[in-house]
């Protein structure tokens, strides 16, 4: 990491790390799907430790789960003090990437076949995150629906001509 990556505190800017995560997740998604892929969401980005200017950053990504057209990619960021060799796990991120066909429409991706216990654990946890995400979206939509209905039922609510 060089001076151009610094924030005003002099450490590496979080946005620089996020960009690296996005790029590497994209590569993992393209490799798995054999198609181009876009970022649908960065579901989670944890900054566990700061990264300092002068450190070497390594970003590793793996496809944790594949659904119909989307994949969850887990990304691990490590910083290395190149003088001492000390390695620190600084960030973890989970991104949802969607494969696209030549017309830019979501395209089916190959299933994953997790072979090891670690791969099975990652797939299970990815499924949990997806289930939570979808449940959260449903709850928010339901709450919005209730709010709209309450406004329509309130005095002065309803039709735009005030009747
Ligand atoms: C991602 C995108 C292709 C999805 O398009 P869409 O019309 O919503 O497509 P669909 O409803 O068919 O959803 C396709 C898949 O994306 C997933 N998806 C869509 N929006 C999502 C979101 N916000 N978070 C997580 N997954 C999402 C759906 O769950 C679905 O997954 P599945 O097929 O595995 O079940 C579209 O929203 C898009 O092009 N976004 C912009 C992407 C981009 O420019 N990224 C770079 C950011 S600068």
């Amino acid at each position: 990491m060089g001076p151009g990556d610094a924030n005003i505190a002099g450490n590496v800017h979080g946005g620089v790390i996020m960009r690296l995560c996005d790029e590497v997740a994209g590569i993992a998604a393209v490799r798995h799907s054999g198609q181009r892929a876009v970022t649908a969401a960065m579901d989670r980005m944890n900054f566990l430790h700061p990264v300092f200017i002068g450190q070497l950053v390594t970003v590793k990504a793996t496809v944790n789960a594949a659904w119909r057209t989307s994949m969850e990619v887990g990304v691990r960021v490590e910083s290395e003090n190149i003088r001492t060799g000390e390695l620190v796990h600084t960030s973890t991120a989970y991104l949802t990437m969607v494969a696209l066909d030549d017309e830019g429409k979501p395209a089916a991706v190959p299933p994953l076949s997790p072979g090891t216990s670690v791969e099975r654990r990652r797939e299970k946890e990815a499924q949990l995150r997806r289930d939570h995400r979808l449940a959260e979206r449903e709850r928010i939509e339901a709450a919005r629906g209730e709010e709209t209905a309450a406004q329509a039922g309130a005095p002065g609510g309803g039709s735009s001509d005030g009747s």
Side-chain angles (χ1 to χ4, degrees):
M1 293 287 109
D5 301 313
N7 61 20
I8 51 172
N11 300 336
V12 172
H13 200 293
V16 170
I17 302 293
M18 289 171 84
R19 182 186 170 134
L20 287 171
C21 290
D22 191 32
E23 284 175 358
V24 175
I27 293 168
V30 170
R31 274 189 177 159
H32 176 73
S33 65
Q35 300 168 95
R36 68 195 175 100
V38 287
T39 313
M42 189 174 254
D43 297 316
R44 197 165 306 171
M45 176 89 222
N46 295 317
F47 293 101
L48 308 170
H49 297 282
V51 179
F52 301 107
I53 303 306
Q55 290 185 323
L56 180 72
V57 164
T58 305
V59 185
K60 296 177 189 165
T62 179
V63 175
N64 289 333
W67 295 287
R68 189 178 59 90
T69 65
S70 66
M71 296 152 273
E72 183 195 89
V73 181
V75 180
R76 180 186 172 96
V77 183
E78 285 178 352
S79 67
E80 179 185 341
N81 178 325
I82 52 174
R83 279 184 294 140
T84 64
E86 186 196 6
L87 279 181
V88 177
H89 173 203
T90 57
S91 298
T92 295
Y94 298 103
L95 295 91
T96 302
M97 312 297 297
V98 176
L100 299 181
D101 65 18
D102 291 341
E103 280 148 26
K105 300 224 165 52
V109 297
L112 263 193
S113 34
T116 67
S117 60
V118 170
E119 288 169 350
R120 282 192 291 276
R121 175 181 58 76
R122 286 180 177 153
E123 187 182 55
K124 201 170 155 191
E125 291 174 1
Q127 186 63 52
L128 280 176
R129 280 186 288 272
R130 178 179 161 102
D131 293 345
H132 283 150
R133 196 170 53 243
L134 293 175
E136 180 190 66
R137 193 167 66 186
E138 272 177 28
R139 282 205 306 276
I140 288 172
E141 280 170 6
R144 284 187 183 171
E146 283 165 20
E147 199 176 316
T148 309
Q151 280 168 0
S159 62
S160 56
D161 63 2
S163 58

